[in-house]
Amino acid sequence: MSQRSVVAAASSAVSAAAPADACARNDVYAAMCPCRDMLDLLANKWSALAIGALEDGPLRFGQLRRLLEGISPKVLSHTLKRLEAEDLITRTVYAEVPTRVEYALTDFGRSASVPLKQLRDWVEASVGVA
């Protein structure tokens, strides 16, 4: 058996076992890994910017909308719902007249904000330099 055949056979054996094993190992390169959903959410520009906007503390919907220039109310609402569903932010409703709603980072969201801030800083420093 040639070396190429051995590699191909080993590769197909690994591929057959990959979905279950990859999910157990949290392998973002595996098609069925749930980590991909989180990567997709965090790699979304509006999610990354919303998390960054909340780094300094809670904000209301209108404040977020003003900070995130170009986002529509529908997209902001959808983004906030996705971030809340993944426990990256909290939504707090205050029983006031008028009702006040604030969004804030959870501990999990704050941990995600660290690499996202590094990415935003790198982009601001690097775009247009090369």
Side-chain angles (χ1 to χ4, degrees):
M1 188 180 266
S2 73
Q3 185 177 8
R4 182 173 279 173
S5 299
V6 171
V7 170
S11 177
S12 63
V14 168
S15 295
D21 292 346
C23 290
R25 291 188 325 267
N26 287 335
D27 181 358
V28 296
Y29 293 101
M32 301 303 292
C33 184
C35 294
R36 280 199 178 182
D37 292 335
M38 181 61 71
L39 182 61
D40 179 54
L41 176 61
L42 293 174
N44 176 281
K45 76 174 175 183
W46 295 122
S47 295
L49 293 172
I51 289 170
L54 293 168
E55 285 175 344
D56 292 331
L59 294 172
R60 296 174 72 172
F61 186 89
Q63 293 171 308
L64 279 166
R65 191 164 159 228
R66 283 187 292 281
L67 282 172
L68 306 179
E69 292 181 12
I71 193 168
S72 70
K74 180 179 178 179
V75 170
L76 178 56
S77 179
H78 177 71
T79 300
L80 294 172
K81 285 177 185 174
R82 286 185 68 199
L83 292 171
E84 184 181 14
E86 294 298 330
D87 195 36
L88 291 161
I89 66 169
T90 58
R91 178 180 184 268
T92 305
V93 180
Y94 294 93
E96 300 174 352
V97 178
T99 303
R100 179 171 53 108
V101 178
E102 287 185 343
Y103 298 90
L105 291 176
T106 62
D107 289 340
F108 188 48
R110 277 188 284 286
S111 72
S113 74
V114 174
L116 289 173
K117 180 174 181 359
Q118 292 173 334
L119 180 60
R120 288 190 314 271
D121 290 347
W122 178 84
V123 167
E124 289 177 344
S126 301
V127 171
V129 173

